[in-house]
Amino acid sequence: MANFPKVSVLIACFNNAEYVAGAIHSVLRQDYPFYEIVIIDDFSDDNSFKIIKEFESDKVKIFRNEKNFGTGYTKRRCIEESSGEIFCFLDSDDELASHALSSMVKCHLEDPECSLVFSNYYDCNSDLKIIKKNVRQNAGSSFSHLDTGKISHLVTCKRIFYDRTAGINPAFKLAQDHDLYYKMEEVGVVKYINDFLYFYRMHRRSASRASLDARLNSRLWHFRAIEAAYHRRGLDQSDLDLRFLVMIKDAMKKHSYHKLLARRVRGVLAWCLMK
């Protein structure tokens, strides 16, 4: 890897006209100059694409899907359209700390066998005012996201290791990040930076994701990622049913049991029957 490797910051955007400019500006303010931004608009029907196009330059590549394909397809295409030796995803409503890329590059250069580096992040309100500090954990040699679930923003990956995996599954509607983390830890070393490099914005649309339906749907896709990891690793699958129940219970923490029965039990059973 070069002394100053190019970093590809990947933004998959759908209907985020209100915040996407802030996400892009946070990359343009980086203290590390060797980067590109790859933005793919997933056929937004708001003003997102018009705003994004205003940033197009030699360092900012803009693409648009011919129809709405969803996050799995769009994130995979982001990687395919990029050329950096290191890449990371930035959600189109979030922002990076100004030293995020330089900190990540330093860690990657220190360990050539490192496939993935992750950090701490801030929970913020819609105005990006910090609400909570989310401290993750030291990775270590026995670390596995499959056991701890601690990998989170900001995550950067070395392309040379990503190319050893099957890549992001374009069929995944949610939990592409977990699926990617499992695959990356299977081919290299995971490292942790004890610093806050990512601002996660909570706003009207993100609040809707906290509904019972959204939480259950998210857990179901996450479980699919876990199940796929079990298959790849040849692990004993006898505890998969227990994992599934624990994940459903976690999704219900803020909701009563009768709401689950009323709103989602049919969907959960139908999904199980399709397995």
Side-chain angles (χ1 to χ4, degrees), residues 5-13 20 22-40 52 59-63 74-75 77-102 104-105 154-157 159 197-198:
K6 182 198 283 189
V7 181
S8 297
V9 180
L10 312 177
I11 302 176
C13 180
V20 67
I24 298 169
H25 279 300
S26 78
V27 185
L28 298 175
R29 291 194 296 265
Q30 291 298 303
D31 61 10
Y32 184 81
F34 305 103
Y35 66 84
E36 66 174 358
I37 308 174
V38 175
I39 310 172
I40 298 182
I52 292 167
K59 296 194 77 166
V60 185
K61 302 176 182 177
I62 311 294
F63 303 90
T74 305
K75 287 191 171 184
R77 185 183 174 193
C78 279
I79 297 174
E80 291 170 351
E81 299 286 1
S82 67
S83 59
E85 295 168 84
I86 297 169
F87 67 84
C88 66
F89 285 102
L90 170 63
D91 287 348
S92 56
D93 50 359
D94 297 338
E95 297 189 17
L96 298 179
S98 60
H99 63 298
L101 299 188
S102 59
M104 285 291 179
V105 167
L154 173 66
V155 173
T156 58
C157 301
R159 184 179 301 274
L197 303 181
Y198 196 96

